[in-house]
Amino acid sequence: MTYPVQVVAPQDVVLPPVSDIELGRRRYRRDRAVRSTAVAAVSTLLFAFVVAFGLSRAPGWSRIQQSFFDFSLAKKSFHPILDGLWLNLRVLAVSEVCILALALLVAGLRTVQGAVFFPVRVLATAYVDFFRGLPLIILLYLIGFGVPGLRFSWLPNNPTVLGTIALVLCYGAYVAEVFRSGIQSVHPSQRAAAASIGLTYMQSMRLVILPQAIRRVVPPLLNDFVALQKDVGLISVLGAIDAVRQAQILQAQYFNFTPYVVAGLMFVVLAIPTGRVADAAAARARRREQSGSLV
Amino acid sequence: MPRLRLVNKAAAVAALTTIVSGVGAASVGAASGTPTKATSGPLGSSCAPASLKTVKAGEITIGVDDPLYQPWFASNNPKTGKGFEDAVDYAIAGELGYPRSATAFTRVTFDDAIQPGPKSFDYDLDEFTITTARAKEVDFSAPYYTVAQAVVGLKGSAAAKSHTLAAVRKLQLGAQVGTTSYSVITNQIKPVRAPRVYNDNNDAEAALQDGQIQGLVMDLPTAFEVTTGEVKGTTIIGQLPLAGQPSSFGALLDKGSPLTTCVSKAVVALKANGTLAKLQTKWLARVGKAPELK
């Protein structure tokens, strides 16, 4: 049985002229937009003025200015801290790749079905429970100073490598849970449909479940990525000098907190692109999944 | 507690000698009719408890780190008066006219000690090295101790045979963060490999024993403490020349503290009457001579 389908080419559609009422609406909206921009600008300026005035009236303002915003020290500490940040970035890149791989594996193992895989599920759950619960700093100590203490010559003894391993173990557990939530959010009918057209478990996972699951968890993944950007610096307890550690060295040398401000701003700048990517990903998901339901 | 009494006696002797030698303005204070109680200090009325603007009136509050390490303090308890800096803490308080009962301690972390806000202590002796850069942010008293830096390594390791500065330069070195030891690595030793930095010496010692660093730079008294007791199997590779390096410990006070001059006067007086030297022999007796790296 066939249904008659009427196809209308876009160029054939002739829109009626815009009515005066609609034009009036558009003008009104434009006026409101201009007005709200102006109000926002004035209120921002006023707020900035109140904050600046309030701060400058603080009795300790000159001390704070000297201790936290010393421009010449900021200039002096910029390059050493940037060198430290380069270590952060390298560790971040390597650990993020390893984390995603490990987390996907663990999430897969945790959601694998069938009675025979019970021990696998238990192990994966135990891993997540343990490494998500263990404070990262303690994990760093255990891996960084404990593992080399075993004195196996084949084990790594570089603090950066050991620190990266600890980061991967800790964040792997968090991200595994993000992936699991994504996998479990895909409706079971999808799996059933995949099975009905003859896909194996692995195939349905790869072709049907994961593409949907991962798309759904991109915003929380980026959230964890920003958190990792900052936690990478914790490996400095093992001896490597990252941006924050370099700032601490300079702070102790000059008894001045400006280097911390410099390092802090660098991390903020680093996090902004990730934030925008996260926003864009969320907007894209909204467009795709909630199209036609403007709120 | 015989050791305790000894410290008190030392302070008392110090106080007595200053009065007898007439260095202090105590006699002036007495002449001008200021009521001189037992608590009035030997440094004169301007530095007596009555006129000192301390954090807590009538009491001197001394900042101490947490935890405290030997040989500077003993058993993480500043109230014992044991350990070099603890003894000097009490000696300065005594010199200012505060008896032991009017001496209080408060725990102060490094960051807390150097932050720009109001301080919770009157003075703080915590192996703070005096430098001009730091003196822009805080006040320092006159120096109470001159310290050398030393390199510690594992006994029997190849690193332990580095007898020259050139040989030490090739080692993987490490130090505690924020210390003069770290500055000495970067400014004086200038090693081939980037130094590693640790939260504290305990972490650094773990790294030394794990072979992650070959040489740990620390001040000489701490190095003797570590190698002769705390950490088995370690040895002092050598000490670094003092020349050109900031090496004086001073008491730290708030920037512009009204007590700076008086604490400085007290330190100078303690040095002049030999108290500091005595306390040094008593508490830093383990500090011997280490071969100098040239």
Side-chain angles (χ1 to χ4, degrees):
Chain A
M1 195 158 66
T2 53
Y3 296 97
V5 178
Q6 195 185 1
V7 179
V8 180
Q11 62 264 33
D12 295 341
V13 179
V14 180
L15 290 170
V18 182
S19 71
D20 284 346
I21 295 175
E22 171 59 17
L23 285 176
R25 279 195 206 109
R26 287 182 191 174
R27 214 170 20 250
Y28 176 74
R29 285 197 207 105
R30 211 166 37 237
D31 288 352
R32 298 305 289 184
V34 168
R35 191 169 162 266
S36 61
T37 309
V39 170
V42 169
S43 80
T44 307
L45 279 176
L46 205 69
F47 179 72
F49 175 76
V50 167
V51 169
F53 183 73
L55 279 178
S56 63
R57 293 273 296 173
W61 174 240
S62 64
R63 271 312 304 276
I64 292 294
Q65 216 176 357
Q66 189 191 335
S67 285
F68 285 84
F69 308 105
D70 180 336
F71 187 66
S72 70
L73 183 56
K75 255 181 20 195
K76 223 185 295 181
S77 52
F78 185 78
H79 272 286
I81 295 176
L82 203 61
D83 285 346
L85 196 68
W86 177 227
L87 177 81
N88 290 65
L89 288 176
R90 280 178 298 166
V91 173
L92 177 69
V94 173
S95 55
E96 180 64 17
V97 171
C98 299
I99 286 165
L100 290 176
L102 175 71
L104 206 52
L105 179 74
V106 172
L109 293 179
R110 254 198 107 167
T111 51
V112 73
Q113 287 165 354
V116 72
F117 294 115
F118 180 72
V120 173
R121 285 196 294 272
V122 166
L123 272 178
T125 310
Y127 160 78
V128 169
D129 281 353
F130 184 77
F131 284 99
R132 202 168 51 157
L134 194 65
L136 177 54
I137 199 94
I138 294 172
L139 181 62
L140 277 165
Y141 274 120
L142 292 177
I143 304 259
F145 293 136
V147 169
L150 298 172
R151 288 172 199 282
F152 286 121
S153 57
W154 48 268
L155 277 176
N157 201 7
N158 182 303
T160 312
V161 175
L162 290 165
T164 307
I165 293 172
L167 279 173
V168 170
L169 285 173
C170 175
Y171 268 80
Y174 279 100
V175 177
E177 285 300 273
V178 171
F179 277 134
R180 184 171 73 104
S181 73
I183 290 170
Q184 289 179 338
S185 76
V186 178
H187 198 274
S189 64
Q190 297 279 327
R191 204 185 289 271
S196 75
I197 59 167
L199 296 184
T200 64
Y201 181 82
M202 284 307 286
Q203 280 174 325
S204 70
M205 205 59 185
R206 189 163 56 87
L207 299 168
V208 179
I209 310 293
L210 282 183
Q212 300 182 65
I214 290 174
R215 214 178 293 144
R216 278 184 201 171
V217 297
V218 164
L221 282 181
L222 286 164
N223 210 16
D224 280 341
F225 182 68
V226 175
L228 178 69
Q229 270 178 10
K230 292 170 294 174
D231 277 357
V232 156
L234 287 177
I235 66 164
S236 64
V237 297
L238 303 180
I241 300 177
D242 81 311
V244 178
R245 184 62 111 194
Q246 185 61 56
Q248 188 185 6
I249 290 167
L250 291 161
Q251 175 243 21
Q253 193 177 338
Y254 293 97
F255 276 18
N256 191 306
F257 291 78
T258 308
Y260 276 136
V261 175
V262 173
L265 288 178
M266 283 185 192
F267 276 98
V268 171
V269 169
L270 203 62
I272 288 174
T274 321
R276 291 297 79 74
V277 170
D279 286 351
R284 186 159 157 250
R286 213 171 32 242
R287 268 202 312 279
R288 283 181 162 193
E289 289 171 17
Q290 302 171 7
S291 54
S293 62
L294 265 176
V295 182
Chain B
M1 292 197 281
R3 282 177 165 184
L4 261 174
R5 241 179 284 134
L6 252 174
V7 177
N8 264 345
K9 214 182 277 174
V13 167
L16 207 75
T17 35
T18 0
I19 293 171
V20 168
S21 59
V23 173
S27 48
V28 180
S32 61
T34 328
T36 36
K37 277 186 259 171
T39 50
S40 95
L43 291 171
S45 62
S46 63
C47 287
S51 49
L52 285 178
K53 277 190 167 175
T54 54
V55 172
K56 256 174 111 182
E59 210 175 273
I60 193 103
T61 311
I62 302 170
V64 284
D65 200 2
D66 196 3
L68 296 161
Y69 292 99
Q70 287 180 329
W72 312 108
F73 291 84
S75 49
N76 196 20
N77 180 5
K79 289 247 168 213
T80 59
K82 292 180 188 176
F84 179 66
E85 284 182 336
D86 208 3
V88 177
D89 273 339
Y90 273 119
I92 292 173
E95 195 72 4
L96 294 172
Y98 291 93
R100 272 185 93 93
S101 55
T103 307
F105 290 93
T106 182
R107 297 282 180 168
V108 179
T109 62
F110 177 85
D111 292 324
D112 206 11
I114 67 170
Q115 49 84 19
K119 306 276 200 264
S120 58
F121 56 87
D122 291 313
Y123 60 83
D124 183 356
L125 274 67
D126 191 26
E127 301 117 73
F128 289 112
T129 306
I130 305 170
T131 68
T132 41
R134 289 171 161 189
K136 273 196 233 162
E137 307 292 335
V138 296
D139 277 1
F140 285 112
S141 75
Y144 60 88
Y145 185 64
T146 302
V147 74
Q149 297 293 327
V151 187
V152 170
L154 288 182
K155 225 177 253 176
S157 66
K161 294 182 191 76
S162 318
H163 297 307
T164 61
L165 211 51
V168 166
R169 198 162 282 149
K170 295 199 184 85
L171 302 178
Q172 173 66 59
L173 297 173
Q176 183 183 336
V177 68
T179 55
T180 307
S181 313
Y182 176 77
S183 321
V184 160
I185 296 180
T186 50
N187 298 334
Q188 191 178 18
I189 305 179
K190 298 191 174 80
V192 180
R193 273 174 283 183
R196 301 228 165 106
V197 180
Y198 299 92
N199 275 352
D200 52 43
N201 277 331
N202 294 336
D203 287 1
E205 285 153 18
L208 182 68
Q209 290 195 313
D210 281 349
Q212 295 177 351
I213 52 172
Q214 297 163 302
L216 168 56
V217 181
M218 42 183 25
D219 62 64
L220 195 60
T222 307
F224 270 101
E225 197 64 38
V226 163
T227 51
T228 55
E230 275 175 31
V231 187
K232 297 253 181 316
T234 52
T235 182
I236 297 180
I237 298 175
Q239 76 179 65
L240 294 154
L242 271 178
Q245 297 304 318
S247 52
S248 298
F249 286 168
L252 184 148
L253 298 96
D254 196 6
K255 186 79 188 157
S257 164
L259 271 71
T260 307
T261 333
C262 293
V263 171
S264 251
K265 270 188 195 166
V267 171
V268 170
L270 289 168
K271 190 180 243 170
N273 65 30
T275 308
L276 283 182
K278 249 181 257 167
L279 294 177
Q280 214 168 299
T281 9
K282 182 168 169 58
W283 297 110
L284 304 177
R286 269 180 170 173
V287 182
K289 264 297 217 193
E292 186 152 317
L293 299 164
K294 286 195 177 124

